[in-house]
Each structure stands twice: as structure tokens, then as C-alpha cells.
Amino acid sequence: MNRFDYVRPNTVAEAVQALGADPQARFIAGGTNLIDLMKYDVERPGRLIDITRLPLRDIVEHDGGLRIGALVTNATVAYDVRIKERYPLLSSAILAGASAQLRNAASTGGNLLQRTRCYYFYDTATPCNKREPGTGCGAIGGVNRIHAILGASEHCIATHPSDMAVALAALEAVVQVSGPNGDRAIPLAEFHRLPGDDPARDTNLAPGEIIVAVDLPAKSFATNFTYLKLRDRLSYAFALVSVAAALELDGETIRTARLALGGVAHKPWRNTEAEGLLQGKPATRETYQTAAELILAEAKPQSTNGFKIELARRAIVRGLEQAAAGTPQSQSDKRIQ
Ligand SMILES: Cc1cc2nc3c(=O)[nH]c(=O)nc-3n(C[C@H](O)[C@H](O)[C@H](O)COP(=O)(O)OP(=O)(O)OC[C@H]3O[C@@H](n4cnc5c(N)ncnc54)[C@H](O)[C@@H]3O)c2cc1C
Ligand code: SF4
């Protein structure tokens, strides 16, 4: 049993101050990831800063889009009428993740900051550069079926597990943060990072910063979208590969395309070159195949996850087909929530 203190600030400023005062402190929101990590002895915070009293629980109109407070639960976001009507891609992605009970507790900020599901990260008897920098990577040459095929490094091949973040990447959401040096906005594409030679850092959040909100821009892709999640079970499983696809069409021609992949890299994977390639092209399978080839040209398999490259190729094509046809969601995700 590791001892820890527990505090409950009432304002964002108090929360930031509490974190700044103690390098061993951690924020806790829904606790659905952090508590597990504490039980596994992966995280040993000396102090928990419970942020659930902060006034960050609203979804409000903002700049033609919506601003989602960091403490709005995943369930509330997914079922909010404005989200369902204007950002159904986000709603679908959230409902494809976890379980109803977890989504009731999990927060918007916590979802973005959940840690990888790499088995070795959770097993303190094994080496892991993310958990203990410099110890090595158990997954390289080990059990790596769920690991990255894009953007990995020789130090870490983990993937980011969030479904919500993949949809937010395609929607070009912006993360609003507050910290000791004031407030700043981080585009979702720059929020998570690749492992490089510092896999312990999942994001570009600076020390002492708190997520206060996530902004959805006005452009919402409410008609031609899909979130396609491929996994070992139909429910309650993380993505092996997922695709958030969003299109604007002029008849049979693609006017705008957004595409983000989950389950394949240390961050939601967007390739703007591939999106540019889709633009102005006919909405056909051949077009989608060309984009998939481009995205996966740099894919590298690990010892047991080569199948993910072909899975991703097919998922991209199918995701774009579903989006173009306006048949957004795999039926499985509609049945099992
Ligand atoms: C069995 C299981 C299955 C799951 N399946 C899926 C799935 O399929 N898809 C999916 O996307 N997710 C899945 N999840 C993960 C789940 O979505 C996350 O655990 C959840 O979103 C985390 O939110 P939370 O509020 O509980 O975070 P917490 O556990 O409270 O916090 C997580 C981290 O974020 C930090 N934090 C929290 N809020 C803030 C903030 N506002 N500012 C700064 N730091 C903050 C905490 O310090 C902590 O480090 C699953 C989880 C479990 C347990
Ligand atoms: S892939 Fe990353 S998280 Fe997994 S064992 Fe290697 S260093 Fe750790």
C-alpha cells in the first residue's frame, strides 16, 4: 500500500497551484485509468488532486463550434444532442470505446491523457522505457500484436488507446490548457507526441498544466463520416486499427477529406498529404486505395503485428466507402454500447 494525500481544489487556479507545489502529485478525474495504474504500482502519486469540483462540466457554443469542458463525461458528450447532430463522428467514436459504466465516469481530459495499454507498461517485472526510462522495451521482439506500425522508435512501439482522440484529430479539435505560465491552445494534432528517444512523455502538455476544455471547430462533417473500429471483440476492447473518416462531397467528387487512424501509432495518425490526394478526386474505391497506399508506405511491422498493415489498408478503404455512402457506422457499434 502506497500512502498518498488527497486534496479537492475548487478552482482551476487552485488546482494548478497544488500541482506546481508537489512534483509527485497527479490530477484525478474519473479515475478509470489512474486508479488502475496505482493498483498495478505503475503510478505512485504522493498526492491526488481531485479535480471533479472544478467548474469544467459544460458544453457551450464557441466560435461557431462547441467547447467541451474537461470534466464532461464521455457519456454526456456522446449523447449530447448538439454533438449527435453536428459532430456524430465524435459521438460514434466515444460509443465505440470502453463500456457504458466506464463512459459514465471517464472525463474528456482524462480520455486524452489515458496511458497506453502495452502489456509491459502495466507489468512492473518487465523492462519498459515509458514506465522506467532506460530499462529497455519488452515489447520489441516480445508480444507486440497490438503495437504500432507507424511512427514507432527503437525505444518504444506503444500505441495510444483513445478512440475519442482519433475523431478529435479528424475534426481538428483544439485542446485548451491552463498552467503556471497562463493559458494556451494546443491543436489536437500536436497534443500527443511520437515516442522518439523520450517515450515517457505521451503528450506536449508542459509540467503543471491542466486541460480545461476541448474546442470543436465549426466544420463538423455531419453527413459523410464514419468511425470504423476493428478489434478482437465487438465490445469492450481497444482498437487494433480504427479509422475516423470525414468527407465533403460535390456530387461524386471529394471536396474535402479528413482521415485519422487509431491503434497504429503513439498518437492519432493523420497524413495530410493523403487527405490532399483525395481532394478533387472521384469518390471511388481506386481513389481510396491510393490514399491507403500512401499512408501505409512507411508502415513497419513488429515481430507479430504485420497483419495490422493489411488490416489498416482495408479499414481505410472501407471507412472512406462508408463515409462517402453516408452509412457511417459499423452495425456492431450500434447494437453493442
Ligand atoms: C476496461 C477498460 C476498457 C477501456 N476501453 C476503452 C476503449 O475501448 N477506448 C477508449 O478510448 N478508452 C477506453 N478505456 C479508457 C477510458 O476511456 C479512460 O480510462 C478514461 O477515458 C480516462 O478518463 P478518466 O477521467 O477516468 O481519467 P483519470 O483516470 O482520472 O486520469 C487519467 C490521466 O489523466 C490525467 N488527467 C485527468 N484529467 C485531467 C485534466 N483535466 N488535466 C490534466 N490531466 C488530467 C490524470 O492525472 C491521469 O494521469 C477503457 C478503460 C478500461 C478500464
Ligand atoms: S512499447 Fe513502450 S510502453 Fe511498451 S514496453 Fe516498450 S517502451 Fe514500454
Side-chain angles (χ1 to χ4, degrees):
M1 175 73 189
N2 295 313
R3 294 178 64 82
F4 57 86
D5 295 334
Y6 176 80
V7 291
R8 276 209 282 191
N10 290 308
T11 66
V12 170
E14 282 172 19
V16 168
Q17 198 184 21
L19 191 65
D22 184 352
Q24 302 306 318
R26 292 280 183 282
F27 291 135
I28 183 161
T32 60
N33 189 217
L34 183 57
I35 297 290
D36 278 356
L37 291 166
M38 290 169 68
K39 287 181 185 166
Y40 282 106
D41 208 22
V42 174
E43 288 269 9
R44 292 171 211 162
R47 169 176 294 207
L48 286 184
I49 304 170
D50 180 344
I51 57 174
T52 55
R53 280 190 182 164
L54 305 188
L56 304 173
R57 290 194 178 273
D58 294 320
I59 302 176
V60 295
E61 295 291 334
H62 176 76
D63 221 3
L66 291 174
R67 171 165 285 179
I68 304 169
L71 290 173
V72 182
T73 66
N74 290 178
T76 302
V77 176
Y79 294 120
D80 183 277
V81 173
R82 294 159 295 176
I83 301 281
K84 284 203 310 190
E85 284 178 1
R86 287 155 61 185
Y87 303 94
L89 172 58
L90 178 58
S91 185
S92 298
I94 291 173
L95 292 177
S99 64
Q101 292 93 331
L102 283 160
R103 294 191 299 263
N104 282 338
S107 66
T108 300
N111 189 306
L112 289 179
L113 291 172
Q114 62 176 296
R115 310 296 310 269
T116 183
R117 306 308 288 202
C118 170
Y119 321 114
Y120 300 92
F121 178 70
Y122 283 78
D123 181 352
T124 55
T126 63
C128 171
N129 286 324
K130 186 180 279 298
R131 178 172 28 80
E132 260 183 87
T135 55
C137 171
I140 296 176
V143 182
N144 51 38
R145 175 171 187 279
I146 63 170
H147 287 72
I149 52 172
L150 288 161
S153 78
E154 59 183 312
H155 303 290
C156 179
I157 57 171
T159 57
H160 195 271
S162 168
D163 291 296
M164 186 187 82
V166 181
L168 291 177
L171 291 167
E172 296 195 338
V174 176
V175 185
Q176 299 293 340
V177 307
S178 185
N181 298 318
D183 301 341
R184 67 185 178 116
I186 311 174
L188 204 284
E190 293 160 29
F191 186 77
H192 298 97
R193 56 188 296 283
L194 293 179
D197 58 8
D198 187 8
R201 285 182 59 216
D202 293 349
T203 71
N204 290 314
L205 207 60
E209 285 184 327
I210 185 171
I211 299 175
V212 291
V214 173
D215 290 348
L216 299 175
K219 201 189 261 285
S220 66
F221 298 96
T223 307
N224 293 104
F225 70 92
T226 196
Y227 187 72
L228 176 63
K229 178 174 177 179
L230 303 177
R231 47 192 152 168
D232 285 327
R233 294 187 302 264
L234 279 183
S235 174
Y236 210 36
F238 291 91
L240 287 167
V241 171
S242 69
V243 175
L247 299 173
E248 283 178 334
L249 300 173
D250 273 330
E252 300 293 305
T253 304
I254 299 168
R255 186 167 64 224
T256 314
R258 299 268 184 81
L259 204 51
L261 305 191
V264 297
H266 202 254
K267 60 185 286 188
W269 191 264
R270 251 187 95 188
N271 182 322
T272 48
E273 204 188 328
E275 291 174 4
L277 183 146
L278 288 166
Q279 235 161 276
K281 298 281 184 349
T284 61
R285 173 168 266 257
E286 290 67 38
T287 305
Y288 309 147
Q289 281 168 336
T290 314
E293 291 306 326
L294 178 61
I295 293 168
L296 295 167
E298 289 172 31
K300 287 200 184 77
Q302 297 299 322
S303 50
T304 60
N305 76 350
F307 75 98
K308 282 177 90 170
I309 298 179
E310 183 58 24
L311 193 65
R313 184 175 286 118
R314 291 175 187 225
I316 293 166
V317 173
R318 186 169 133 203
L320 285 165
E321 281 181 337
Q322 287 182 186
T327 52
Q329 193 50 274
S330 305
Q331 289 306 310
S332 56
D333 289 333
K334 280 192 171 163
R335 281 201 316 270
I336 302 171
Q337 291 178 359

